[in-house]
Amino acid sequence: MKRLPIPDDVTGDEIDKDVRQELQSLPKGLAEEVSRNLVMVARLIDEDPEGAYAYSRIALRLASRVAAVREAAGFAAYANQKFSEALAEFRAARRMTGSVELWPVMADCERGLGRPEKALEMAGAPEVQKLDKASQVEMRLVAAGARRDMDQLDAAIVTLQSPELASNSVQPWSARLRYAYADALLAAGREGEAREWFAKAVESDKDGSTDASDRLAEMDGVEFVDAFAEDEDDEDGERAQVTVSEEAGTRVPADDDDDDADDDADDVELADVATDDVDDVDDDIDGGDLQDDQDDEDDDLDDEDGDDSTGDAPVRPQS
């Protein structure tokens, strides 16, 4: 199997403690290689999702029986809008661990596959009650998105109305929840309320996870001007004026007035005399390989998950 280059500063120790513990079931050398590939997945997934996906596939072939590897492969596929593949990996990870923490992103994969009804069904399942607060909010966002997929704007707005939305405290999910609510209000034509909630989203968005400030400025009719671009345009204009003047045989300022016309005429006469003198002077001067057992395990697991179809849809990042 072809390996991808990994920087020397990536040791594999950067991964979470829980993931490292899962990898202890592997031989030491193999565990190190898998962990380094997982670090590359985490490094690239936001800026280079295709690159992250490539590293995730290597980790998956090396250790397909490790739940953390299946989960990482799922998120890499999710980031590349490979929702069917992502859903299959998330299901496999859930079977291995019994955890429900992936429930919201699994529901969002259903949306990505064009099945919002299935996502809503998952939003009402008992598994949601087992989620922590952040994941419950994420599930609410997914459910509201599914309502919008079905052109049920009013229902989407009601879905987002919750104690978490009304709370004045700022939590990790506050900006995204307020932003989603403002966007739904705007889509429903309730511009005044939408502006209020975009402003609240800006207040809680400390790390710039949304474009709430841009949306708010757009509603207020504010246009942003690139000062650097203006400076470059001014410099280009000055250079163009100088070039034209030099081609005319003299360096003339762009703001000359007509009142200097008489002086210019005198200058021309002097220039002619000077030219004759110069002509006289000119006349005078003329002169790596995988373990076979692991491949067999991969083939068995691929057969187990191979019944999923593929599909593409806009990605919706999870908080």
Side-chain angles (χ1 to χ4, degrees):
M1 179 183 64
K2 182 180 179 181
R3 306 295 205 270
L4 292 175
I6 298 177
D8 293 337
D9 65 327
V10 175
T11 64
D13 294 334
E14 300 89 341
I15 61 176
D16 292 339
K17 177 182 177 182
D18 293 340
V19 177
R20 192 180 307 116
Q21 186 173 359
E22 281 192 60
L23 294 176
Q24 288 180 354
S25 61
L26 303 174
K28 183 177 180 180
L30 181 59
E32 179 181 345
E33 186 173 2
V34 172
S35 63
R36 295 182 73 206
N37 278 278
L38 291 180
V39 171
M40 294 304 298
V41 173
R43 281 192 177 186
L44 298 176
I45 196 163
D46 291 328
E47 301 298 329
D48 181 13
E50 291 185 359
Y53 179 76
Y55 281 102
S56 76
R57 299 308 296 177
I58 293 176
L60 188 61
R61 292 191 179 113
L62 291 171
S64 62
R65 298 291 182 181
V66 177
V69 173
R70 302 303 291 262
E71 183 176 329
F75 278 111
Y78 181 85
N80 283 274
Q81 303 181 20
K82 299 178 183 292
F83 293 110
S84 182
E85 184 177 325
L87 187 57
E89 298 300 342
F90 291 145
R91 285 173 175 168
R94 182 167 179 264
R95 285 197 300 270
M96 293 175 184
T97 64
S99 172
V100 297
E101 64 179 8
L102 295 172
W103 198 254
V105 71
M106 290 170 64
D108 206 36
C109 285
E110 295 289 358
R111 285 186 62 205
L113 291 168
R115 301 194 291 253
E117 298 87 353
K118 179 63 176 176
L120 287 176
E121 181 182 332
M122 294 179 68
E127 284 82 355
V128 176
Q129 303 305 318
K130 302 175 183 178
L131 297 172
D132 60 20
K133 179 63 67 177
S135 296
Q136 286 183 358
V137 171
E138 188 65 33
M139 191 73 249
R140 190 176 293 275
L141 287 168
V142 172
R147 291 292 185 188
R148 293 191 64 171
D149 293 343
M150 300 167 67
D151 295 325
Q152 299 176 0
L153 277 176
D154 290 340
I157 291 172
V158 172
T159 299
L160 293 169
Q161 293 172 345
S162 61
E164 293 81 17
L165 179 67
S167 175
N168 291 324
S169 65
V170 176
Q171 302 293 337
W173 58 77
S174 297
R176 293 184 60 232
L177 184 59
R178 294 172 179 179
Y179 181 93
Y181 189 59
D183 192 50
L185 289 169
L186 186 61
R190 297 160 62 175
E191 295 187 7
E193 295 173 86
R195 190 198 179 284
E196 176 186 352
W197 282 97
F198 274 128
K200 290 182 178 181
V202 171
E203 292 175 0
S204 56
D205 193 2
K206 305 303 182 182
D207 57 357
S209 61
T210 72
D211 64 347
S213 60
D214 293 339
R215 297 291 298 276
L216 186 61
E218 182 181 347
M219 294 187 71
D220 290 341
V222 177
E223 294 185 4
F224 295 98
V225 178
D226 191 339
F228 292 104
E230 276 195 342
D231 292 342
E232 290 177 359
D233 290 341
D234 292 341
E235 291 176 1
D236 290 342
E238 292 177 0
R239 284 195 293 269
Q241 290 176 340
V242 170
T243 301
V244 171
S245 300
E246 289 175 343
E247 289 177 353
T250 181
R251 196 180 186 90
V252 181
D255 59 350
D256 278 351
D257 297 328
D258 292 338
D259 293 340
D260 297 333
D262 293 338
D263 293 340
D264 291 343
D266 293 340
D267 291 343
V268 169
E269 292 178 0
L270 292 174
D272 290 341
V273 173
T275 300
D276 293 339
D277 292 342
V278 171
D279 290 342
D280 292 341
V281 173
D282 288 341
D283 292 340
D284 294 338
I285 298 178
D286 279 343
D289 296 330
L290 281 177
Q291 297 177 353
D292 294 337
D293 292 341
Q294 186 63 52
D295 286 336
D296 293 337
E297 290 182 358
D298 293 341
D299 293 338
D300 293 341
L301 196 56
D302 288 341
D303 291 339
E304 179 183 350
D305 293 329
D307 58 346
D308 291 292
S309 58
T310 58
D312 294 326
V315 66
R316 303 169 189 80
Q318 184 183 20
S319 61

Coordinates of all heavy atoms in Angstrom, one line a residue, residues 66-137:
V66 N -10.4 -0.5 14.7 CA -10.3 0.5 15.8 C -11.4 1.5 15.6 O -11.4 2.2 14.5 CB -8.9 1.2 15.8 CG1 -8.8 2.2 16.9 CG2 -7.8 0.1 16.1
A67 N -12.2 1.7 16.6 CA -13.4 2.6 16.4 C -12.9 4.1 16.1 O -13.6 4.8 15.3 CB -14.2 2.6 17.7
A68 N -11.9 4.5 16.8 CA -11.4 5.9 16.6 C -11.0 6.1 15.1 O -11.1 7.2 14.5 CB -10.2 6.2 17.5
V69 N -10.4 5.1 14.5 CA -10.0 5.2 13.1 C -11.3 5.3 12.2 O -11.3 6.1 11.3 CB -9.2 4.0 12.7 CG1 -8.9 3.9 11.2 CG2 -7.8 4.0 13.5
R70 N -12.3 4.5 12.5 CA -13.5 4.5 11.7 C -14.2 5.9 11.8 O -14.7 6.4 10.9 CB -14.5 3.4 12.2 CG -13.9 2.0 12.1 CD -13.5 1.6 10.7 NE -14.5 1.5 9.7 CZ -15.1 0.4 9.3 NH1 -14.7 -0.8 9.8 NH2 -16.0 0.3 8.4
E71 N -14.1 6.4 13.1 CA -14.7 7.7 13.3 C -14.0 8.8 12.5 O -14.6 9.7 11.9 CB -14.7 8.1 14.8 CG -15.4 9.4 15.1 CD -15.4 9.6 16.6 OE1 -15.5 8.7 17.4 OE2 -15.4 10.8 17.0
A72 N -12.6 8.8 12.5 CA -11.8 9.8 11.8 C -12.1 9.6 10.3 O -12.2 10.7 9.6 CB -10.4 9.6 12.1
A73 N -12.2 8.4 9.8 CA -12.5 8.2 8.4 C -13.9 8.8 8.0 O -14.1 9.3 7.0 CB -12.4 6.7 8.1
G74 N -14.8 8.6 9.0 CA -16.1 9.2 8.8 C -16.1 10.7 8.6 O -16.8 11.2 7.7
F75 N -15.4 11.3 9.5 CA -15.4 12.8 9.5 C -14.7 13.3 8.2 O -15.0 14.3 7.7 CB -14.8 13.4 10.7 CG -15.7 13.5 11.9 CD1 -15.6 12.7 13.0 CD2 -16.8 14.4 11.8 CE1 -16.5 12.8 14.1 CE2 -17.7 14.5 12.9 CZ -17.5 13.7 14.0
A76 N -13.6 12.6 7.8 CA -12.9 13.0 6.6 C -13.8 12.8 5.4 O -13.8 13.7 4.5 CB -11.6 12.1 6.4
A77 N -14.6 11.8 5.3 CA -15.5 11.6 4.2 C -16.6 12.6 4.3 O -17.0 13.2 3.3 CB -16.1 10.2 4.3
Y78 N -17.1 12.9 5.5 CA -18.1 14.0 5.7 C -17.7 15.3 5.2 O -18.4 16.1 4.5 CB -18.4 14.0 7.2 CG -19.5 15.0 7.6 CD1 -20.9 14.7 7.6 CD2 -19.1 16.3 8.1 CE1 -21.8 15.6 8.0 CE2 -20.1 17.2 8.5 CZ -21.4 16.8 8.4 OH -22.4 17.7 8.9
A79 N -16.4 15.7 5.5 CA -15.8 17.0 5.0 C -15.7 17.0 3.5 O -15.7 18.1 2.9 CB -14.5 17.2 5.6
N80 N -15.7 15.9 2.8 CA -15.6 15.8 1.4 C -17.0 15.6 0.7 O -17.0 15.2 -0.4 CB -14.6 14.8 0.9 CG -13.2 15.3 1.1 OD1 -12.6 15.9 0.2 ND2 -12.6 14.9 2.2
Q81 N -18.0 15.7 1.5 CA -19.4 15.5 1.0 C -19.7 14.1 0.5 O -20.6 13.8 -0.2 CB -19.7 16.5 -0.1 CG -19.6 18.0 0.4 CD -19.9 18.9 -0.7 OE1 -20.6 18.6 -1.7 NE2 -19.4 20.2 -0.6
K82 N -18.9 13.1 1.0 CA -19.1 11.7 0.7 C -20.0 11.2 1.9 O -19.6 10.4 2.7 CB -17.8 11.0 0.7 CG -16.9 11.5 -0.4 CD -15.5 10.7 -0.4 CE -14.5 11.2 -1.4 NZ -15.0 11.0 -2.8
F83 N -21.3 11.6 1.8 CA -22.2 11.3 3.0 C -22.5 9.8 3.2 O -22.7 9.4 4.3 CB -23.4 12.2 2.8 CG -23.2 13.6 2.9 CD1 -23.3 14.5 1.8 CD2 -22.8 14.2 4.1 CE1 -23.0 15.8 1.9 CE2 -22.5 15.5 4.2 CZ -22.6 16.4 3.1
S84 N -22.7 9.1 2.1 CA -23.0 7.7 2.3 C -21.8 6.9 2.9 O -22.0 6.1 3.8 CB -23.3 7.0 0.9 OG -23.6 5.7 1.1
E85 N -20.6 7.3 2.5 CA -19.4 6.6 3.0 C -19.2 7.1 4.5 O -18.9 6.3 5.4 CB -18.2 7.1 2.2 CG -16.9 6.4 2.6 CD -15.7 6.8 1.7 OE1 -16.0 7.0 0.5 OE2 -14.6 7.0 2.2
A86 N -19.5 8.4 4.8 CA -19.3 8.9 6.1 C -20.3 8.2 7.1 O -20.0 7.7 8.2 CB -19.6 10.4 6.2
L87 N -21.5 8.0 6.6 CA -22.6 7.4 7.4 C -22.2 5.9 7.7 O -22.4 5.4 8.9 CB -23.9 7.4 6.7 CG -25.1 6.9 7.4 CD1 -25.3 7.7 8.7 CD2 -26.4 7.0 6.6
A88 N -21.6 5.2 6.8 CA -21.2 3.8 7.0 C -20.1 3.7 8.0 O -20.1 2.9 8.9 CB -20.7 3.2 5.7
E89 N -19.2 4.7 8.0 CA -18.1 4.7 9.0 C -18.6 5.0 10.4 O -18.2 4.4 11.4 CB -17.0 5.7 8.6 CG -16.3 5.4 7.2 CD -15.6 4.0 7.2 OE1 -15.4 3.4 8.3 OE2 -15.3 3.5 6.1
F90 N -19.5 6.0 10.4 CA -20.1 6.4 11.7 C -20.9 5.2 12.4 O -20.8 5.0 13.6 CB -21.0 7.6 11.6 CG -20.2 8.9 11.3 CD1 -20.8 9.8 10.4 CD2 -19.0 9.1 11.8 CE1 -20.1 11.0 10.2 CE2 -18.3 10.3 11.5 CZ -18.8 11.2 10.7
R91 N -21.6 4.5 11.5 CA -22.4 3.4 12.0 C -21.4 2.3 12.5 O -21.7 1.7 13.6 CB -23.2 2.8 10.9 CG -24.5 3.6 10.5 CD -25.2 3.1 9.3 NE -26.4 3.8 9.0 CZ -27.1 3.6 7.9 NH1 -26.6 2.8 6.9 NH2 -28.2 4.3 7.7
A92 N -20.3 2.1 11.8 CA -19.4 1.0 12.2 C -18.8 1.4 13.6 O -18.6 0.6 14.5 CB -18.3 0.9 11.2
A93 N -18.4 2.7 13.7 CA -17.8 3.2 15.0 C -18.8 3.0 16.1 O -18.4 2.6 17.3 CB -17.4 4.6 14.9
R94 N -20.1 3.3 15.9 CA -21.1 3.2 16.9 C -21.3 1.8 17.3 O -21.5 1.5 18.5 CB -22.4 3.8 16.4 CG -23.5 3.8 17.4 CD -24.7 4.7 17.0 NE -25.7 4.6 18.0 CZ -26.8 3.8 18.0 NH1 -26.9 3.0 16.9 NH2 -27.7 3.8 18.9
R95 N -21.3 0.8 16.3 CA -21.4 -0.6 16.7 C -20.2 -1.0 17.6 O -20.4 -1.8 18.5 CB -21.4 -1.4 15.4 CG -22.7 -1.4 14.7 CD -22.8 -2.5 13.7 NE -21.7 -2.5 12.7 CZ -21.8 -1.9 11.5 NH1 -22.9 -1.2 11.2 NH2 -20.8 -2.0 10.7
M96 N -19.1 -0.5 17.4 CA -17.9 -0.9 18.2 C -17.9 -0.3 19.6 O -17.5 -1.0 20.5 CB -16.6 -0.4 17.5 CG -16.3 -1.1 16.1 SD -14.9 -0.4 15.3 CE -14.9 -1.3 13.8
T97 N -18.4 0.9 19.7 CA -18.4 1.5 21.0 C -19.7 1.5 21.8 O -19.7 1.6 23.0 CB -17.9 3.0 20.9 OG1 -18.9 3.7 20.1 CG2 -16.6 3.1 20.2
G98 N -20.8 1.5 21.1 CA -22.1 1.6 21.7 C -22.5 3.0 22.0 O -23.5 3.3 22.6
S99 N -21.6 4.0 21.7 CA -21.9 5.4 22.0 C -22.9 6.0 21.1 O -23.0 5.6 19.9 CB -20.5 6.1 22.0 OG -20.8 7.5 22.1
V100 N -23.6 7.0 21.6 CA -24.6 7.8 20.7 C -24.0 9.1 20.3 O -24.8 9.9 19.7 CB -25.9 7.9 21.4 CG1 -26.5 6.6 21.7 CG2 -25.8 8.7 22.7
E101 N -22.8 9.4 20.6 CA -22.3 10.8 20.4 C -22.3 11.2 19.0 O -22.3 12.4 18.6 CB -20.9 11.0 21.0 CG -19.8 10.1 20.4 CD -18.5 10.3 21.0 OE1 -18.4 11.0 22.0 OE2 -17.5 9.8 20.5
L102 N -22.3 10.2 18.1 CA -22.2 10.5 16.6 C -23.6 10.7 16.0 O -23.8 10.9 14.8 CB -21.5 9.5 15.9 CG -20.0 9.3 16.2 CD1 -19.4 8.1 15.5 CD2 -19.2 10.6 15.7
W103 N -24.7 10.6 16.9 CA -26.0 10.6 16.4 C -26.4 11.8 15.6 O -27.0 11.7 14.5 CB -27.0 10.4 17.6 CG -28.4 10.0 17.2 CD1 -29.5 10.8 17.2 CD2 -28.8 8.7 16.8 NE1 -30.6 10.1 16.9 CE2 -30.2 8.8 16.6 CE3 -28.2 7.5 16.6 CZ2 -31.0 7.7 16.2 CZ3 -28.9 6.4 16.2 CH2 -30.3 6.5 16.0
P104 N -26.0 13.1 16.0 CA -26.4 14.3 15.2 C -25.7 14.3 13.9 O -26.4 14.6 12.9 CB -25.9 15.4 16.1 CG -25.9 14.9 17.5 CD -25.5 13.4 17.3
V105 N -24.4 13.9 13.8 CA -23.8 14.0 12.5 C -24.3 12.9 11.6 O -24.3 13.0 10.3 CB -22.2 13.9 12.7 CG1 -21.8 12.6 13.1 CG2 -21.5 14.3 11.4
M106 N -24.7 11.8 12.1 CA -25.3 10.7 11.3 C -26.6 11.2 10.7 O -26.9 10.9 9.6 CB -25.5 9.4 12.2 CG -24.2 8.7 12.6 SD -24.5 7.4 13.8 CE -25.5 6.3 12.9
A107 N -27.4 11.9 11.6 CA -28.7 12.5 11.1 C -28.4 13.5 10.0 O -29.1 13.6 9.0 CB -29.4 13.1 12.2
D108 N -27.3 14.3 10.1 CA -27.0 15.3 9.1 C -26.6 14.6 7.8 O -26.8 15.1 6.7 CB -25.9 16.2 9.6 CG -26.0 17.6 8.9 OD1 -27.1 18.0 8.6 OD2 -24.9 18.2 8.6
C109 N -25.9 13.4 7.9 CA -25.6 12.7 6.7 C -26.9 12.3 5.9 O -26.9 12.2 4.7 CB -24.8 11.4 7.1 SG -23.1 11.7 7.5
E110 N -27.9 11.9 6.7 CA -29.2 11.6 6.1 C -29.7 12.8 5.3 O -30.2 12.7 4.2 CB -30.2 11.2 7.1 CG -29.9 9.9 7.9 CD -30.0 8.7 7.0 OE1 -30.4 8.8 5.8 OE2 -29.8 7.6 7.5
R111 N -29.6 14.0 5.9 CA -29.9 15.2 5.1 C -29.1 15.3 3.8 O -29.6 15.7 2.8 CB -29.7 16.5 6.0 CG -30.7 16.7 7.1 CD -30.4 18.1 7.7 NE -30.5 19.2 6.7 CZ -29.9 20.3 6.8 NH1 -29.0 20.6 7.8 NH2 -30.0 21.3 5.9
G112 N -27.8 15.1 4.0 CA -26.9 15.2 2.8 C -27.3 14.2 1.7 O -27.1 14.5 0.5
L113 N -27.9 13.1 2.1 CA -28.3 12.1 1.1 C -29.7 12.4 0.6 O -30.3 11.6 -0.1 CB -28.2 10.7 1.7 CG -26.8 10.2 2.0 CD1 -26.9 9.0 2.9 CD2 -26.1 9.9 0.7
G114 N -30.3 13.5 1.0 CA -31.6 13.9 0.5 C -32.7 13.2 1.2 O -33.8 13.1 0.7
R115 N -32.5 12.9 2.5 CA -33.5 12.2 3.3 C -33.8 13.0 4.6 O -33.5 12.5 5.7 CB -33.1 10.8 3.6 CG -32.8 9.9 2.4 CD -32.7 8.4 2.7 NE -31.5 8.1 3.5 CZ -30.5 7.4 3.0 NH1 -30.4 7.1 1.7 NH2 -29.4 7.1 3.7
P116 N -34.3 14.2 4.4 CA -34.6 15.0 5.6 C -35.6 14.3 6.6 O -35.6 14.5 7.8 CB -35.1 16.3 5.1 CG -35.7 16.0 3.7 CD -34.8 14.9 3.2
E117 N -36.6 13.6 6.0 CA -37.5 12.9 6.9 C -36.9 11.9 7.8 O -37.2 11.8 9.0 CB -38.6 12.1 6.0 CG -39.4 13.0 5.1 CD -38.7 13.3 3.7 OE1 -37.5 12.8 3.6 OE2 -39.3 13.8 2.9
K118 N -35.8 11.2 7.3 CA -35.1 10.3 8.2 C -34.3 11.1 9.3 O -34.2 10.6 10.4 CB -34.1 9.5 7.3 CG -33.2 8.5 8.1 CD -34.0 7.4 8.7 CE -33.1 6.4 9.4 NZ -33.9 5.4 10.1
A119 N -33.8 12.2 8.9 CA -33.1 13.1 9.9 C -34.1 13.5 11.0 O -33.7 13.5 12.2 CB -32.5 14.3 9.2
L120 N -35.3 13.9 10.7 CA -36.3 14.3 11.7 C -36.7 13.1 12.5 O -36.9 13.2 13.7 CB -37.5 14.8 11.0 CG -37.4 16.2 10.4 CD1 -38.6 16.6 9.6 CD2 -37.0 17.2 11.5
E121 N -36.8 11.9 11.9 CA -37.1 10.7 12.7 C -36.0 10.4 13.7 O -36.3 10.1 14.9 CB -37.2 9.5 11.7 CG -37.5 8.2 12.4 CD -37.5 7.0 11.4 OE1 -37.8 7.3 10.2 OE2 -37.2 5.9 11.8
M122 N -34.7 10.6 13.4 CA -33.6 10.5 14.3 C -33.6 11.5 15.4 O -33.3 11.3 16.5 CB -32.3 10.5 13.5 CG -32.1 9.3 12.6 SD -30.5 9.4 11.7 CE -29.3 9.1 13.1
A123 N -34.1 12.7 15.0 CA -34.2 13.8 16.0 C -35.2 13.5 17.1 O -35.1 14.0 18.2 CB -34.5 15.1 15.3
G124 N -36.1 12.6 16.9 CA -37.1 12.3 17.9 C -36.9 10.9 18.5 O -37.7 10.4 19.3
A125 N -35.7 10.3 18.2 CA -35.4 9.0 18.8 C -34.9 9.1 20.2 O -34.4 10.1 20.7 CB -34.3 8.3 17.9
P126 N -35.1 8.0 21.0 CA -34.6 8.0 22.4 C -33.1 8.3 22.5 O -32.7 8.8 23.6 CB -34.9 6.5 22.8 CG -36.0 6.1 21.9 CD -35.7 6.7 20.6
E127 N -32.3 8.0 21.5 CA -30.9 8.2 21.6 C -30.6 9.7 21.9 O -29.6 10.0 22.6 CB -30.2 7.8 20.3 CG -30.0 6.4 20.1 CD -31.3 5.7 19.6 OE1 -32.3 6.4 19.4 OE2 -31.2 4.5 19.3
V128 N -31.4 10.6 21.5 CA -31.2 12.1 21.7 C -31.1 12.4 23.2 O -30.4 13.3 23.6 CB -32.3 12.9 21.0 CG1 -32.1 14.4 21.3 CG2 -32.2 12.6 19.5
Q129 N -31.9 11.7 24.0 CA -32.0 12.0 25.4 C -30.7 11.6 26.1 O -30.4 12.0 27.2 CB -33.2 11.2 26.1 CG -34.5 11.5 25.5 CD -34.8 13.0 25.5 OE1 -34.6 13.7 26.5 NE2 -35.4 13.5 24.4
K130 N -29.9 10.7 25.5 CA -28.6 10.3 26.0 C -27.5 11.2 25.7 O -26.3 11.0 26.2 CB -28.3 8.9 25.6 CG -29.4 7.9 25.9 CD -29.0 6.5 25.3 CE -30.1 5.5 25.6 NZ -29.8 4.2 25.0
L131 N -27.7 12.2 24.8 CA -26.7 13.1 24.4 C -26.4 14.2 25.4 O -27.2 14.6 26.2 CB -27.1 13.8 23.1 CG -27.3 12.9 21.8 CD1 -27.9 13.8 20.7 CD2 -26.0 12.3 21.4
D132 N -25.1 14.7 25.4 CA -24.8 15.8 26.3 C -25.5 17.1 25.7 O -26.0 17.1 24.6 CB -23.3 16.0 26.5 CG -22.6 16.2 25.2 OD1 -23.2 16.6 24.2 OD2 -21.3 16.0 25.1
K133 N -25.3 18.2 26.5 CA -26.0 19.4 26.1 C -25.6 19.9 24.7 O -26.4 20.3 23.8 CB -25.8 20.5 27.1 CG -26.4 21.9 26.8 CD -27.9 21.8 26.7 CE -28.5 21.5 28.1 NZ -30.0 21.4 28.0
A134 N -24.3 19.9 24.4 CA -23.8 20.4 23.1 C -24.3 19.6 22.0 O -24.7 20.1 20.9 CB -22.2 20.4 23.1
S135 N -24.3 18.3 22.2 CA -24.8 17.4 21.1 C -26.3 17.5 20.9 O -26.9 17.4 19.8 CB -24.5 15.9 21.4 OG -23.1 15.8 21.4
Q136 N -27.1 17.8 22.0 CA -28.5 18.1 21.9 C -28.8 19.3 21.1 O -29.7 19.4 20.2 CB -29.1 18.1 23.2 CG -29.3 16.8 23.9 CD -30.0 16.9 25.3 OE1 -30.4 18.0 25.7 NE2 -30.1 15.8 26.0
V137 N -28.0 20.4 21.3 CA -28.1 21.6 20.5 C -27.8 21.3 19.1 O -28.5 21.8 18.1 CB -27.2 22.7 21.1 CG1 -27.2 23.9 20.1 CG2 -27.7 23.1 22.5

